[in-house]
Amino acid sequence: MTTPLDLDGLARRYRDGRARPSDVAEDVLGRIAARGDDHVWITLRPAADVLADAAGLASRWPDPAARPALYGVPFAVKDNVDVAGLPTTAACPAYAYVPDRSAPLVDRLLAAGALLVGKTNLDQFATGLSGTRSPYGACESPLVPGLISGGSSSGSAVAVAAGLVSFAIGTDTAGSGRVPAALTGTVGIKPSRGLVSTLGLVPACASLDCPSVFAASVADGLAVLSVIAGPEPGDPWSRPLPVPCPVPPAAGPLTIGVPARPGFFGDDAAASAFAEVTERLSALGHRVVPVDLDPFLAAGRLLYEGPWIAERLAAVGGFAARNPGELHPVTRRVLGGGTGLSAVDAFEGLYRLRALSAETRAAWASMDVLAVPTVPTTFTIAEMEESPLDRNTVLGHYTTFTNLLDLAAVAVPAGTTAAGRPHGVTFQGPAGSDGLLAGLAAAFTTGTTATAPPDTPPDTLPVLAVVGAHRSGQPLNGQLTALGATALGTAQTAPLYRLFALDGGEPPRPGLVRSAEEGVRVEVELFGLTTAALGTLLTQIAPPLGLGWVRLADGREVHGFLCESYATRDAPDISRHGSWPGYLLSSDHDRRWPPPRPR
């Protein structure tokens, strides 16, 4: 009898004594053997090692009440992620090396009790979205015979879709954590850049790379994300962002943008399927609005038509130049496109991306979340091999802009088209909106209607004073919307505070500090939240910010965002602007844009 591998089901069976990690490990190894050579795995751990680790979990945590979040949960890792003692190939046998240390995200999973089964296949060097560019074979989607699984995280997605593991780690640069989710009927969570450390990953584009999570449900994926998320010392790309709670939050009514002119490359069945998605969102209580996606799509084209193709050479260009015959033919063609680019091309690409990012701000002012088809159409393995580059571009139509524009994303199944192909939808939002997106995605997959907060009179709700990125029209306002916050207008603080522009955080944020000497009045925006919503928000706030008491000019004491003073020592004092929006419109802000990044 096979054991369901969902996290809640496993936890109940372990708690009730109906299963042991050893039983689950034997079951998983049997499933893998039964599928035979399905091209999912590059390195499977020896069965004896997996079973020994499973047996050792009970001795590590003999008290069931003290067991960690992922106790006895089997998982897989994409083979461009380091695991100590196992080869990392990035789907290129000649490139293989055996690391002494695991990637920090792997260490976090093992510390949480998860059980590693093996390392999965991928498009070579994580370059491609099809799952067909590997010397270890092409992974087929379990949903339709002959259909591609999507890439580059092909093996990770199929391992979950085929029920071989509970979850799998992938990576995402151009859509590799989302395209396979759509084609295999799984959930793909692509975190905000820097929320999960990329140490121990073979880079594709180091400035854009994200580890990702494949799972059978949003709840399972979010539980895994909550374990691996968080700043990592020594990682130049890590940054403090809100770590989502392990349970998807309730989804309040949201304004959801959809493409005003969606493109499906002649796939009428996919077009009809996405029209049904928009109808479902409306029926669930959300407001759906058309959005001009042109600047988003133009940004996405920069990934393969602009200088970012040269960033892939920064990771593996030396190896490729010395060993051209060891590369997959399509990988060699893709990497070759970066050899003629100059530093001037790189700067011009950065300028172009910055301009397009500015154009997208108008769209974000009118929506909380962007919903797009994960892929506009699907291909068989044979069709992909006929035209690997052009059809790869089609697959990435709605995914390549995400990391360039610093967005988070959650991809979920959305049924089957009339042509019998899988269809998926991806919810995207600004960096830091991971929890909001997961809540919406979970509600969408379960058909949960968006509900407004309890009908509590605004004047009896706890009041929250918002200073910066959570204000209306700012990148994190969607977190408040999802919690059912009621806008109560603006106010002034008492003349007791200083306002600073914090360095190193994205989205850019201010820090409000109560001054022991000379303070000024600072404009804040007020929101009413239920006590439960206020508590949920507190878990989503990243340091150095927190919640405290803020005194308003009218004498009221309300809850509000405050900043720890250590973070303001070298930060510019922007109090003279009177508010965060006033600073953003000033020439001082122009001189500091873009904000400093970790080096």
Side-chain angles (χ1 to χ4, degrees):
M1 178 177 176
T2 58
T3 303
L5 296 181
D6 63 288
L7 268 59
D8 280 346
L10 282 176
R12 285 196 302 271
R13 286 171 174 80
Y14 290 149
R15 185 171 55 249
D16 298 342
R18 288 179 288 151
R20 301 170 302 167
S22 297
D23 303 327
V24 173
E26 288 180 355
D27 186 13
V28 163
L29 293 172
R31 299 183 197 192
I32 292 170
R35 278 182 61 88
D37 186 13
D38 55 6
H39 309 301
V40 168
W41 305 95
I42 291 180
T43 300
L44 273 170
R45 297 183 66 210
D49 291 351
V50 176
L51 293 172
D53 283 355
L57 289 173
S59 59
R60 288 174 66 189
W61 292 287
D63 181 2
R67 288 170 180 168
L70 301 179
Y71 176 85
V73 176
F75 76 103
V77 173
K78 184 177 179 179
D79 196 23
N80 63 339
V81 179
D82 285 347
V83 175
L86 297 182
T88 299
T89 72
C92 181
Y95 180 80
Y97 63 91
V98 179
D100 295 327
R101 299 178 60 183
S102 296
L105 72 88
V106 174
D107 287 336
R108 294 189 184 200
L109 292 169
L110 297 177
L115 183 63
L116 178 64
V117 175
K119 304 188 74 178
T120 54
N121 199 2
L122 66 149
D123 279 331
Q124 192 175 74
F125 293 121
T127 298
L129 294 172
S130 66
T132 63
R133 300 178 184 178
S134 171
Y136 297 96
C139 292
E140 181 180 275
S141 170
L143 300 180
V144 179
L147 189 71
I148 61 170
S149 60
S152 62
S153 308
S154 53
S156 291
V158 175
V160 173
L164 307 181
V165 291
S166 298
F167 71 90
I169 299 299
T171 63
D172 189 303
T173 304
S176 298
R178 294 161 281 154
V179 170
L183 289 158
T184 61
T186 54
V187 170
I189 296 182
K190 189 219 77 72
S192 301
R193 287 190 346 235
L195 178 61
V196 180
S197 174
T198 56
L199 287 178
L201 274 64
V202 178
C205 293
S207 67
L208 303 178
D209 292 341
C210 300
S212 66
V213 180
F214 292 96
S217 70
V218 177
D220 282 4
L222 191 60
V224 173
L225 178 61
S226 70
V227 170
I228 62 177
E232 184 66 36
D235 183 352
W237 302 105
S238 180
R239 54 181 176 166
L241 287 164
V243 175
C245 355
V247 178
L254 296 169
T255 300
I256 299 177
V258 297
R261 298 176 297 279
F264 296 92
F265 296 85
D267 190 337
D268 293 337
S272 296
F274 187 69
E276 292 176 6
V277 166
T278 62
E279 292 171 1
R280 284 173 60 186
L281 289 170
S282 295
L284 291 174
H286 302 290
R287 176 171 172 256
V288 177
V289 298
V291 170
D292 179 9
L293 220 59
D294 287 350
F296 292 84
L297 300 177
R301 289 192 289 271
L302 291 173
L303 189 60
Y304 287 107
E305 297 176 12
W308 278 268
I309 192 65
E311 189 176 7
R312 295 180 184 267
L313 293 177
V316 297
F319 173 85
R322 294 188 302 271
N323 304 277
E326 302 292 345
L327 301 184
H328 188 282
V330 180
T331 308
R332 186 165 58 245
R333 288 172 61 189
V334 172
L335 294 178
T339 57
L341 294 165
S342 68
V344 172
D345 294 323
F347 280 110
E348 289 180 345
L350 288 169
Y351 302 155
R352 176 63 174 154
L353 177 60
R354 183 62 66 181
L356 291 168
S357 180
E359 287 186 42
T360 66
R361 291 175 198 160
W364 287 113
S366 65
M367 64 179 174
D368 301 312
V369 172
L370 173 64
V372 296
T374 306
V375 293
T377 188
T378 59
F379 300 108
T380 64
I381 293 174
E383 289 170 336
M384 203 71 213
E385 290 174 344
E386 289 173 358
S387 184
L389 296 183
D390 289 343
R391 287 175 175 158
N392 192 87
T393 299
V394 172
L395 290 171
H397 186 69
Y398 291 111
T399 62
T400 52
F401 60 77
T402 307
N403 284 331
L404 284 164
L405 294 175
D406 200 13
L407 306 178
V410 178
V412 295
T416 303
T417 71
R421 296 291 178 86
H423 187 69
V425 60
T426 296
F427 300 109
Q428 306 195 37
S433 63
D434 304 79
L436 167 70
L437 297 174
L440 171 61
F444 176 81
T445 57
T446 58
T448 304
T449 302
T451 55
D455 190 16
T456 307
D459 58 357
T460 66
L461 289 171
V463 175
L464 174 71
V466 174
V467 185
H470 285 80
R471 292 181 62 136
S472 298
Q474 293 295 313
L476 300 184
N477 181 253
Q479 289 185 357
L480 298 183
T481 305
L483 293 170
T486 301
L488 302 177
T490 60
Q492 297 285 322
T493 69
L496 302 171
Y497 299 90
R498 307 298 298 181
L499 191 65
F500 297 86
L502 301 180
D503 284 340
E506 292 189 29
R509 298 172 298 167
L512 184 70
V513 178
R514 184 156 179 162
S515 174
E517 300 173 354
E518 182 179 354
V520 301
R521 298 179 190 270
V522 176
E523 182 190 87
V524 294
E525 188 172 4
L526 303 181
F527 289 87
L529 288 88
T530 63
T531 302
L534 197 63
T536 299
L537 179 66
L538 180 60
T539 68
Q540 299 174 348
I541 300 171
L545 301 183
L547 292 183
W549 291 99
V550 174
R551 181 176 295 177
L552 300 181
D554 60 12
R556 284 182 294 165
E557 297 274 356
V558 300
H559 302 286
F561 282 84
L562 292 171
C563 180
E564 296 185 70
S565 59
Y566 77 86
T568 66
R569 288 172 191 153
D570 299 318
D573 187 324
I574 60 171
S575 305
R576 66 186 182 88
H577 296 290
S579 70
W580 179 242
Y583 167 67
L584 293 178
L585 295 172
S586 72
S587 58
D588 287 351
H589 175 250
D590 290 342
R591 285 196 292 272
R592 297 185 68 250
W593 187 263
R597 289 181 177 274
R599 302 182 70 85

